[in-house]
Every structure is written in C-alpha cells, then in structure tokens.
C-alpha cells in the first residue's frame, strides 16, 4: 500500500520545466503591468501640460517683445499730457475771419481835415458792423465845395465795398466831374475807416446850400456799383455858400 501511494504522489508533482515556465510568465506579466500603470512622474507631467495650455494662449495675446500695444495708454503720443499740452501740441485753434496770409492790401486813403468839413452821423449800411457818413468841405472865399463819403469797418475781418459820390444843390442831384466819384473794389481793414478823396468830386458853387448825397454797399465780389446792389444813400449836413463865397456851417 505504501508503494502505491508514493507512485500516485509522483505522478501528480509538476515537472521542473513547468515550474520554470510559470515563474517566467509571472515575471513578464509583472513587467508589462508596471509599464502600463501611470507613475507619479507621469501625473506631474500631465498636470504641467494642463496648466501650460492657458499660458500659451496668454503669450499669443501679448504684443511682440520690443513693441507696445496700441491699446496701452503708454503707447499713445498723448499719454500723460494735460488737455492744455495737447492743445498746444495740436497748434493754434482756427480763428474767425481771413488769415494774414489771405488778406488783401487795403485801399489807400487819407483822413479828412477837422476844419471846414461837415459830415453826417454814422449810419448803418444794412450790414452789422459797417457804417457810413457823407461829408462836404467848403472854404471861405473859394466859392466851391468838395464832396465825399467815409466808411467805417467795425468788424474783425476785411470788407470790400462799392461807393458813388454825388452832390446836391439848387434842388438838383448832380454827378462829380466825368470819370470821378465812383469807387469799386475798395478794401477796408478791420476797425479802419476809408475816406473817398474829396478832391475827386469838386464843383464851383455859390449862392446856394450844398450837400454830399452819396451811396455805398458791401460788395465782396468788388465788381458792382451801389445801384446794382441797392446801396443805401447817405446825406451830409447842408452847408451854405453865399454869393461872396462866405461859408456858413450848420
């Protein structure tokens, strides 16, 4: 009976080769499993990669190195300036009226004498800031009179006017000597007065009362007569010249 049991046990024991193969298989499985399982280092690399993605987007939104973003206040020329500094940097503000470079030369003129001259009060011309007055000059013993008109520009810009000087005596409106007394394209500077030349409208007269009856109008084109522009009429006071040439002012 003992022999039979021993034989059974011998038949059931594995061979050395089978045992060795099983050990090798277990070793290979352990090695493969170790490669498939993530390590702590692998987890750290994944976390770094996940956190790096937003950083890469932020880099793309930044301006290239060495340049300034146009949205940055420090990248604009006006950054840090006060409003007054910006105004000065932009230059002077535009002014009303013609600039000095576009102004024309004013028409030459000569102021009337203060003696032996009678002028009417300045009256409006229909253009605010522009006024006119008619004048007559007479000197004792000369038996003649001279007539004119003066125009005052109270504006801050030049004006151009047209004028016609006439005179009145013996109930009749009279013209100056031929070719005289009509003025076109007269340029008057701001805050100045233009006087028509008295010597260009003169007439011998005595035994009558005389007046300057003149017209004027603002004419930017400088090509019209006062009548064409419905210019206003201005009358001087009446000056009496007696038969002997004695002059009486009002």
């Amino acid at each position: 009976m003992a022999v039979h049991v021993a034989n059974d046990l011998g038949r059931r024991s594995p061979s050395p080769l089978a045992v060795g193969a099983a050990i090798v298989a277990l070793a290979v499985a352990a090695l493969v499993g170790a490669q498939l399982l993530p390590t702590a280092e692998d987890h750290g690399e994944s976390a770094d990669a996940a956190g790096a993605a937003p950083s890469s987007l932020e880099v793309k939104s930044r301006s290239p190195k060495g340049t300034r973003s146009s949205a940055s206040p420090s990248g604009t020329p006006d950054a840090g300036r006060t409003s007054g500094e910006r105004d000065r940097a932009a230059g002077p503000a535009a002014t009303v009226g013609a600039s000095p470079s576009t102004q024309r030369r004013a028409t030459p003129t000569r102021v009337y004498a203060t003696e032996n001259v009678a002028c009417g009060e300045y009256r409006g011309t229909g253009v605010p800031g522009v006024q006119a007055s008619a004048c007559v000059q007479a000197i004792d013993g000369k038996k003649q009179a001279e007539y004119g008109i003066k125009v005052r520009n109270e504006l801050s810009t030049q004006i151009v006017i047209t004028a016609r000087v006439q005179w009145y005596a013996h109930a009749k409106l009279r013209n100056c000597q031929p070719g005289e007394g009509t003025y076109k394209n007269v340029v008057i500077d701001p805050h100045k007065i233009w006087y028509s030349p008295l010597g260009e409208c003169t007439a011998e007269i005595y035994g009558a009362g005389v007046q300057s009856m003149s017209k004027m109008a603002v004419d930017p084109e400088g090509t019209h007569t006062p009548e064409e522009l419905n210019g206003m009429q201005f009358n001087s006071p009446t000056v009496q010249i007696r038969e002997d040439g004695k002059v009486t002012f009002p």
Side-chain angles (χ1 to χ4, degrees):
M1 286 297 292
V3 173
H4 289 292
V5 173
N7 289 338
D8 292 338
L9 292 173
R11 288 195 297 267
R12 293 175 183 173
S13 298
S15 67
L17 292 177
V19 172
I23 293 173
V24 171
L26 290 174
V28 171
L31 179 62
V32 173
Q35 291 180 347
L36 293 177
L37 289 175
T39 64
E41 184 178 356
D42 292 336
H43 284 293
E45 290 177 354
S46 299
D48 291 343
S55 176
S56 64
L57 293 177
E58 291 176 2
V59 170
K60 291 181 181 179
S61 66
R62 297 191 187 115
S63 298
K65 184 177 182 181
T67 62
R68 291 178 176 177
S69 172
S70 60
S72 172
S74 61
T76 60
D78 288 340
R81 292 182 179 177
T82 64
S83 59
E85 289 172 342
R86 287 193 292 271
D87 291 342
R88 287 191 292 273
T95 55
V96 177
S99 64
S101 60
T102 60
Q103 286 190 344
R104 300 169 53 186
R105 181 184 177 187
T107 302
T109 191
R110 179 178 293 181
V111 179
Y112 295 160
T114 57
E115 297 181 353
N116 304 315
V117 176
C119 296
E121 294 184 358
Y122 278 108
R123 292 174 42 227
T125 62
V127 176
V130 181
Q131 301 172 334
S133 169
C135 302
V136 57
Q137 175 176 269
I139 299 174
D140 276 341
K142 294 187 67 173
K143 296 185 178 181
Q144 71 176 34
E146 298 174 342
Y147 311 93
I149 186 172
K150 56 183 180 179
V151 181
R152 180 168 64 188
N153 177 16
E154 296 182 333
L155 301 175
S156 59
T157 58
Q158 286 185 332
I159 61 171
V160 181
I161 64 125
T162 177
R164 185 189 301 280
V165 177
Q166 296 174 297
W167 59 286
Y168 182 86
H170 296 297
K172 185 177 181 180
L173 183 63
R174 305 166 188 267
N175 293 323
C176 303
Q177 52 267 40
E180 303 290 353
T182 301
Y183 306 93
K184 294 181 180 180
N185 201 30
V186 177
V187 179
I188 308 175
D189 278 342
H191 310 294
K192 298 295 183 180
I193 300 173
W194 172 78
Y195 302 79
S196 70
L198 289 173
E200 292 185 2
C201 189
T202 182
E204 181 177 340
I205 186 74
Y206 52 90
V210 296
Q211 285 179 281
S212 170
M213 288 190 176
S214 304
K215 295 178 181 178
M216 68 79 52
V218 174
D219 179 22
E221 296 180 4
T223 59
H224 300 89
T225 65
E227 291 81 5
E228 292 172 336
L229 298 176
N230 296 318
M232 297 183 66
Q233 180 173 300
F234 302 86
N235 302 337
S236 74
T238 300
V239 174
Q240 299 291 334
I241 302 177
R242 300 191 322 196
E243 295 283 348
D244 60 2
K246 180 68 174 180
V247 177
T248 303
F249 287 91

